[in-house]
Amino acid sequence: MGSAVSELPSRRTPLADAAETGLKIVIVGGFGVGKTTLVRSVSEIRPLNTEEVMTQAGVGVDETHGVAAKTTTTVAFDFGRISLNERMVLYLFGAPGQERFWFLWDRLFSGTLGAVVLVDTRRMDDSWYAIDRLEHHKTPFVVAVNRFDNDPSRYSLDEIRQALALPEHVPLIDCDARVRSSGKDVLITLVNHLYEQAMTREMTP
Ligand SMILES: Nc1nc2c(ncn2[C@@H]2O[C@H](COP(=O)(O)OP(=O)(O)OP(=O)(O)O)[C@@H](O)[C@H]2O)c(=O)[nH]1
Ligand SMILES: [Mg+2]
């Protein structure tokens, strides 16, 4: 099977004049799984973030178990950009992870070509909502496990696939959202997945 993308540009570049195809990708997942971090690490422009400081008022509302050191949270969305080649550009939208902002998700999915579900294995249940909404919208997605250093559980990808009841055709990979090359690999996996799906559709009579 051919590959849609072999290498993404490593430099932060202005948008080429030739760019004509913009593909909208959303990064979803539970609270504090690293969505904003992923958009920041891969974007070739300074990303737009709508981060707000978490205050005392959120105690008891914001579920900070496992991410107690977190001081800010996304209240609308993150926006970044990465060029695949001279003509194709990915627009990245990072969703807000807290339940009280989930009402924004369905709007965010409008016009989306594909999605990345980020998973923290300490709080796997938080991934259900994302997977459910994507399946509802029939949006193709890949699942990326953002391994936190202080996570004692070392579930294998097979165990995670089982726990999330992910069908075989959904790509599942490890990543470190802080590392640009790792974030790039996640996006390449998604674009290749979208490409394969498009090819399958084309070949189906
Ligand atoms: N150790 C470690 N820390 C990470 C990793 N990814 C993200 N972080 C940190 O975890 C915190 C949460 O990351 P965010 O990117 O804000 O998470 P988010 O999913 O955007 O959070 P919300 O928008 O509030 O849902 C930040 O302080 C990151 O620096 C990781 O892979 N390992
Ligand atoms: Mg965020």
Side-chain angles (χ1 to χ4, degrees):
M1 177 62 70
S3 163
V5 180
S6 52
E7 188 51 50
L8 295 176
S10 58
R11 287 182 301 118
R12 293 177 181 244
T13 50
L15 186 57
D17 290 344
E20 55 191 36
T21 308
L23 311 176
K24 180 178 172 183
I25 301 296
V26 293
I27 318 289
V28 286
F31 172 54
V33 291
K35 300 176 294 295
T36 299
T37 306
L38 180 72
V39 173
R40 271 193 195 141
S41 65
V42 296
S43 182
E44 64 193 8
I45 54 169
R46 193 151 65 92
L48 166 76
N49 298 126
T50 55
E51 292 286 283
E52 289 295 338
V53 174
M54 293 165 65
T55 64
Q56 202 60 25
V59 174
V61 179
D62 303 335
E63 180 45 72
T64 55
H65 172 70
V67 284
K70 196 163 149 53
T71 55
T72 62
T73 189
T74 303
V75 296
F77 59 85
D78 312 299
F79 175 73
R81 192 193 79 196
I82 186 162
S83 307
L84 292 185
N85 56 37
E86 285 214 331
R87 293 176 162 206
M88 277 166 52
V89 179
L90 290 189
Y91 293 110
L92 306 174
F93 288 79
Q98 294 200 57
E99 198 168 340
R100 58 199 168 107
F101 299 123
W102 284 355
F103 68 93
L104 292 169
W105 283 27
D106 285 339
R107 278 285 174 86
L108 208 56
F109 287 166
S110 162
T112 295
L113 199 72
V116 174
V117 178
L118 265 189
V119 173
D120 176 349
T121 55
R122 296 168 300 178
R123 296 169 300 132
M124 213 114 68
D125 288 355
D126 292 3
S127 317
W128 284 117
Y129 182 74
I131 292 171
D132 178 70
R133 294 324 294 160
L134 291 168
E135 286 178 343
H136 172 82
H137 285 274
K138 299 195 170 37
T139 306
F141 62 94
V142 300
V143 177
V145 182
N146 190 22
R147 304 271 187 188
F148 281 74
D149 312 327
N150 54 354
D151 177 4
S153 57
R154 283 284 146 200
Y155 296 113
S156 69
L157 289 180
D158 278 347
E159 287 169 321
I160 295 168
R161 184 178 290 281
Q162 268 188 11
L164 294 177
L166 283 182
E168 274 306 313
H169 73 269
V170 175
L172 172 65
I173 52 170
D174 275 312
C175 80
D176 184 332
R178 298 163 300 177
V179 178
R180 181 172 162 79
S181 59
S182 179
K184 259 172 44 174
D185 286 344
V186 173
L187 295 177
I188 289 170
T189 304
L190 175 61
V191 173
N192 285 337
H193 180 55
L194 296 175
Y195 179 74
E196 278 170 24
Q197 286 215 324
M199 295 305 278
T200 310
R201 265 199 309 273
E202 212 163 89
M203 285 156 67
T204 311

